[in-house]
Amino acid sequence: MTAHAPIAAPLDLRGQFPAIGPGWHYLDSAATAQKPQAVIDAITTAYARDYATVHRGVYQRSAEMTGRFEAARAATARFIGGQPDELVFTRGATEAINLVAQRFQNGTRKRVLVSQLEHHSNIVPWQLAGYALDVVPLSADGRIDLDAAERMASEDHAVIALAHVSNVLGSVLDAPRAAQIARKAGAALLLDGCQAAPRLPVDVAALDCDFYAFSGHKLYGPTGIGALWGKADRLADMAPWQGGGAMIDRVTFAETTYLDAPARFEAGTPHIVGAVGLHAAIDWVEGIGRDRLHAHEAALAAAAREALRAMNDVTLYGPDDSAGIVSFNVDGVHAHDVGTILDDAGVAVRAGHHCAQPLMDHLGVAATARASFAAHGGPDDVEALVDGLKRVKRIFR
Ligand code: PMP
């Protein structure tokens, strides 16, 4: 490919990702991130040297592992500007949102305000919990229309639940404004931070939200671990969800009493090594700096958008300042065919509805292809994507 301008993507981190070999261009980090060696090492060490249960053991190693587990909680809370006792470990964002949907109550309010671009994880849990949904439309360039949200928000809404960054369009929410709207309506604001936590500096105090949900595996950490952050008073008002060990104060057959948050919401043996791995991932990300990561990914996404825009017959979705995510279609070619041909060219993109079927309906397409950039991305990834798309066009000419 002939690049239009040199791509100013400053980081050179690929060597830290052992699963990314030469000639393979991993552009599916929005689905799940590849792991840097530092995270793999932390997981291996936790199993090979340090492993024991947490919170219950009286022996030294268990006490040490408990220390590591709680240090991971503190680091995860700090990472998003929260306090450790406000940070509930979950399996991921999906479980975090389900927890809020099933246990948070806002008086008798039975409606939730979501947007047209939400991931199914921020739609279905509310439906399952019996809420009716109102849907905030999008602006022409694919942002959540907060003017419309302001008009729509009412005293019927228990929660306003919005993606901080869209997993399809990459659009970034003006979260403080969403918080003002929620506050005025007396609704709680839940932010789905799945795509934002790996890409943007996040400070829940500045965002002024009530709940923040995200997954470790998109943040260079292991699968099966994620977090729900909630304001202390919100969590204190929520009844236990799942019952079992580790969340109780005293159990009798007649009556059981429960621990306070966060333990109250963490029944059973937790994902101990998941938490340790997430801690390592957070240290790794902070060692690089989220501002730098964001700038790097945004530069690659901008270069990809520019190159794709210069190709005829390619439709781009989402705003130009998308956070590392570029969704597109090649006119007349199904996104799955685009994905398969790109795979032959060593370029891994996601093709499908991206768990956002209502957004696909809004865009009037069954699917899109999506290239998402991460810390290990480089100009060669953009070039390989463009070369692969030229191949698609040759095949379908
Ligand atoms: N929300 C968004 C915006 C996402 O991108 C994803 C993952 N694709 C989720 C929620 C669900 O995350 P998980 O499957 O890790 O629970």
Side-chain angles (χ1 to χ4, degrees), residues 63 89 104 107 133 191 206 237 282-283 332 354 371 393 397:
F89 279 129
F104 174 70
L133 299 179
L191 295 179
D237 284 347
I282 285 172
D283 283 351
H354 314 289
K393 288 174 65 168
R397 191 165 41 206

Side-chain angles (χ1 to χ4, degrees), residues 30-31 92-95 97 119 121 163 165-167 192 194-195 215 217-218 350:
T94 301
E95 189 172 72
I97 299 172
H119 190 281
S121 293
V165 169
S166 161
N167 66 313
D192 172 355
C194 238
Q195 299 296 341
S215 294
H217 70 98
K218 298 190 200 263
R350 176 88 181 263

Side-chain angles (χ1 to χ4, degrees), residues 9-17 20 26 29 33-34 36 198-199 218-220 284-285 288-289 292-294 296-298 300 324 372-378 381:
L11 300 174
D12 180 8
L13 299 166
R14 191 167 309 156
Q16 297 189 39
F17 288 81
I20 304 181
Y26 184 68
S29 299
Q34 297 290 341
R199 296 193 167 76
K218 298 190 200 263
L219 185 54
Y220 308 101
W284 186 83
V285 165
I288 296 159
R292 291 176 71 210
L293 277 174
H294 175 62
H296 178 76
E297 293 168 20
L300 290 169
S372 48
F373 295 92
H376 47 72
D381 291 328

Side-chain angles (χ1 to χ4, degrees), residues 359-397:
L359 175 57
M360 297 297 115
D361 293 343
H362 166 76
L363 297 174
V365 297
T368 75
R370 179 188 69 188
S372 48
F373 295 92
H376 47 72
D380 61 323
D381 291 328
V382 178
E383 287 162 14
L385 174 65
V386 172
D387 286 345
L389 288 176
K390 286 182 182 160
R391 194 191 287 202
V392 172
K393 288 174 65 168
R394 275 197 304 277
I395 291 173
F396 278 87
R397 191 165 41 206

Side-chain angles (χ1 to χ4, degrees), residues 14-346:
R14 191 167 309 156
Q16 297 189 39
F17 288 81
I20 304 181
W24 194 53
H25 302 275
Y26 184 68
L27 300 183
D28 198 18
S29 299
T32 196
Q34 297 290 341
K35 315 305 171 200
Q37 190 65 49
V39 170
I40 298 167
D41 288 348
I43 294 168
T44 305
T45 304
Y47 278 125
R49 191 191 67 188
D50 302 332
Y51 190 68
T53 195
V54 294
H55 294 149
R56 283 177 283 254
V58 292
Y59 49 93
Q60 180 71 18
R61 185 170 308 180
S62 173
E64 285 168 7
M65 204 62 191
T66 302
R68 287 194 176 86
F69 185 73
E70 291 305 324
R73 187 193 306 281
T76 308
R78 205 175 46 239
F79 184 67
I80 56 162
Q83 298 298 318
D85 58 4
E86 299 170 324
L87 197 291
V88 180
F89 279 129
T90 62
R91 282 196 299 121
T94 301
E95 189 172 72
I97 299 172
N98 275 279
L99 166 52
V100 178
Q102 290 182 32
R103 283 299 177 265
F104 174 70
Q105 292 192 334
N106 190 348
T108 55
R109 299 174 181 220
K110 284 312 282 176
R111 304 187 79 81
V112 170
L113 193 59
V114 296
S115 86
Q116 185 75 44
L117 58 66
E118 298 309 314
H119 190 281
H120 297 164
S121 293
N122 198 21
I123 299 173
V124 184
W126 306 110
Q127 293 173 324
L128 284 175
Y131 286 99
L133 299 179
D134 294 310
V135 183
V136 181
L138 306 183
S139 65
D141 66 349
R143 296 174 207 276
I144 297 172
D145 180 348
L146 290 180
D147 290 336
E150 187 155 26
R151 288 191 297 274
M152 295 171 75
S154 81
E155 61 197 18
D156 293 335
H157 293 118
V159 180
I160 299 181
L162 301 173
H164 193 185
V165 169
S166 161
N167 66 313
V168 179
L169 304 173
S171 31
V172 182
L173 176 74
D174 179 353
R177 170 131 193 250
Q180 280 170 8
I181 294 168
R183 214 59 69 232
K184 210 167 125 204
L189 177 65
L190 178 141
L191 295 179
D192 172 355
C194 238
Q195 299 296 341
R199 296 193 167 76
L200 305 177
V202 174
D203 177 358
V204 287
L207 297 173
D208 200 18
C209 57
D210 295 278
F211 297 105
Y212 200 88
F214 61 101
S215 294
H217 70 98
K218 298 190 200 263
L219 185 54
Y220 308 101
T223 50
I225 186 90
L228 172 69
W229 173 87
K231 272 190 179 149
D233 56 341
R234 297 294 197 190
L235 291 177
D237 284 347
M238 284 161 58
W241 183 33
Q242 296 172 336
M247 49 77 77
I248 53 85
D249 170 35
R250 173 93 180 101
V251 178
T252 69
F253 288 114
E255 192 192 15
T256 292
T257 53
Y258 309 104
L259 296 175
D260 291 335
R264 173 190 300 197
F265 302 110
E266 294 180 354
T269 304
H271 190 355
I272 303 166
V273 178
V276 172
L278 177 58
H279 190 174
I282 285 172
D283 283 351
W284 186 83
V285 165
E286 288 186 323
I288 296 159
R290 273 180 287 178
D291 285 327
R292 291 176 71 210
L293 277 174
H294 175 62
H296 178 76
E297 293 168 20
L300 290 169
R305 292 184 81 83
E306 189 188 321
L308 267 55
R309 186 170 287 122
M311 299 179 87
N312 297 324
D313 324 324
V314 173
T315 304
L316 282 165
Y317 304 99
D320 277 341
D321 60 351
S322 71
I325 294 173
V326 182
S327 271
F328 60 93
N329 269 314
V330 180
D331 298 350
V333 186
H334 195 284
H336 286 161
D337 292 328
V338 173
T340 305
I341 297 166
L342 286 176
D343 186 38
D344 285 343

